[in-house]
Every structure is written in C-alpha cells, then in structure tokens.
C-alpha cells in the first residue's frame, strides 16, 4: 500500500477511535494515532490471531481502528497513573 493509502487509513482510523473513545484531538494527532494503531492492530492480528492484514480494504481499516482504540485506552491508563 502506498503512503497515501496509509495516510488515509490512519486519519480515518484515528478519527473513528477518537469519536468512540470520547477524545478530542487534531488531524495530525489522529493521523499518528491511526498509523500507530494500524501497526499495533496488525501486529496483534498477525501474532495472536494468525490473520495477515494488508492492502487498502475494510479489514485493514477495522484492524487499524481497533488498534487505535487500544492505543488510546492504554495511553489513558498511563496518563491517569501519572
């Protein structure tokens, strides 16, 4: 997948995760959360579920969204402790 595809998936996944998790961030933060969430979600799905994710499709978006939600949840736990 090209860099434009990663950016689009990242922004959409980050924005969706932000809405579901009740956060309010900007476009750049959504992009970062979405891309890191995609990496996290892809690693979890490949390592623990045995499902390889790739390409520009709905499965990739769902995995990126779930990874972004997990990332925001974990960051919230860390922030609460500090």
């Amino acid at each position: 997948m090209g860099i434009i595809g990663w950016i689009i998936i990242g922004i959409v996944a980050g924005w969706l995760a932000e809405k579901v998790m009740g956060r309010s961030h900007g476009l750049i933060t959504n992009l970062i959360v979405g891309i890191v969430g995609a990496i996290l979600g892809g690693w979890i799905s490949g390592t623990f579920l045995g499902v390889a994710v790739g390409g520009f499709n709905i499965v990739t978006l769902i995995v990126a969204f779930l990874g972004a939600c997990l990332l925001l949840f974990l960051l919230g736990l860390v922030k609460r402790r500090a």
Side-chain angles (χ1 to χ4, degrees):
M1 180 169 23
I3 188 72
I4 301 299
W6 277 107
I7 291 171
I8 292 169
I9 293 278
I11 290 171
V12 172
W15 180 80
L16 287 172
E18 168 187 87
K19 297 303 176 195
V20 168
M21 299 299 288
R23 309 287 170 86
S24 180
H25 300 113
L27 182 65
I28 299 299
T29 304
N30 286 344
L31 172 63
I32 293 167
V33 167
I35 291 175
V36 173
I39 293 167
L40 179 63
W43 178 76
I44 289 172
S45 71
T47 302
F48 297 110
L49 303 176
V51 178
V53 179
F56 190 76
N57 54 41
I58 192 71
V59 175
T60 304
L61 179 60
I62 291 170
V63 168
F65 163 71
L66 292 173
C69 286
L70 178 62
L71 177 65
L72 288 175
F73 174 75
L74 294 173
L75 289 175
L77 288 177
V78 170
K79 191 174 184 181
R80 204 174 306 147
R81 284 191 157 191

